[in-house]
Amino acid sequence: MYETRIKRVIRLVALLGITSVALQPIPVIRAAQTGHTVNLPSPLCDSLQVPEGNKFAFHVYARGVQIYRWNGATWDFVAPVAALFAEANYFGEVGSHYVGPTWESKSGSKVVGRRVQGTGCTPDPSAIAWLRLEKVSTSGSGIFSSVTYIQRVNTTGGTPPSDSGLNFGEMREVPYTAEYYFYRAQD
């Protein structure tokens, strides 16, 4: 029953995101043209370095929630739900981020990733960890079609609730922000 509820919530969020926004190719181009990479605190976050043979492609700002479910003893992570923006002031929405983890552009291209084992750091203990993820699959043509690696950095919030849940299966949404840096194979 609880898994069905989660699936309904995720489908509703995805449907609302798809139906409530028009395609905006100009912000997508602006996001793809930001010409910088992330400065990682060394040595704490050295594991986030992207392997040789990959180059910076683009960067987005995310604002959304991390969803957790109470299992009777602890909070289990369920999924992220976030909007992706071209600009730091959360202007120029270019896509969404959701369970998978999946990043999807408004033009329809997608990348599904997975955390690279042995990577991650927590510069701010009040925020979710910084991560390096690798591509599992891509689809569509557009900004996500050639992504090889993703870095989640500069996070705020998003940690599991500090208090106990009231009921087994209770869901909580914890606000978070992050920056995602995307890389592709060098030509």
Side-chain angles (χ1 to χ4, degrees), residues 111-127:
V111 60
V112 177
R114 74 171 158 244
R115 183 177 182 175
V116 176
Q117 291 300 315
T119 68
C121 61
T122 309
D124 178 356
S126 69

Side-chain angles (χ1 to χ4, degrees), residues 84 96-97 101-104 109-111 113 133 144 150 180 182:
L84 305 175
S96 59
H97 174 47
T102 303
W103 294 263
E104 182 174 355
S109 66
K110 294 181 191 177
V111 60
L133 302 104
F144 292 120
I150 304 118
Y180 290 100
F182 296 89

Side-chain angles (χ1 to χ4, degrees), residues 2-187:
Y2 294 110
E3 290 180 4
T4 303
R5 185 174 174 203
I6 293 168
K7 288 178 184 176
R8 286 182 190 161
V9 167
I10 292 170
R11 276 187 257 163
L12 177 62
V13 169
L15 180 61
L16 289 172
I18 291 168
T19 59
S20 68
V21 294
L23 292 176
Q24 297 178 6
I26 293 171
V28 170
I29 292 168
R30 290 169 65 190
Q33 292 175 347
T34 55
H36 59 282
T37 57
V38 65
N39 287 327
L40 299 170
S42 187
L44 177 65
C45 296
D46 286 347
S47 68
L48 300 186
Q49 294 294 339
V50 174
E52 292 290 325
N54 294 278
K55 66 179 182 177
F56 172 77
F58 61 96
H59 152 246
V60 297
Y61 300 87
R63 181 172 59 190
V65 296
Q66 298 282 314
I67 302 171
Y68 295 92
R69 179 180 45 223
W70 180 246
N71 68 18
T74 61
W75 291 99
D76 293 328
F77 176 70
V78 176
V81 176
L84 305 175
F85 299 89
E87 297 180 22
N89 62 353
Y90 305 109
F91 180 76
E93 189 172 345
V94 296
S96 59
H97 174 47
Y98 52 91
V99 71
T102 303
W103 294 263
E104 182 174 355
S105 73
K106 286 191 171 193
S107 63
S109 66
K110 294 181 191 177
V111 60
V112 177
R114 74 171 158 244
R115 183 177 182 175
V116 176
Q117 291 300 315
T119 68
C121 61
T122 309
D124 178 356
S126 69
I128 54 176
W130 295 16
L131 303 174
R132 177 168 49 119
L133 302 104
E134 63 188 350
K135 169 196 80 166
V136 172
S137 66
T138 60
S139 62
S141 59
I143 63 172
F144 292 120
S145 65
S146 61
V147 168
T148 55
Y149 286 93
I150 304 118
Q151 292 168 324
R152 179 179 75 189
V153 299
N154 298 327
T155 57
T156 64
T159 59
S162 57
D163 60 332
S164 298
L166 301 175
N167 302 303
F168 181 83
E170 176 184 350
M171 305 283 281
R172 292 245 187 111
E173 295 181 354
V174 181
Y176 91 104
T177 63
E179 292 180 53
Y180 290 100
Y181 285 76
F182 296 89
Y183 296 81
R184 61 186 166 112
Q186 288 182 326
D187 300 327

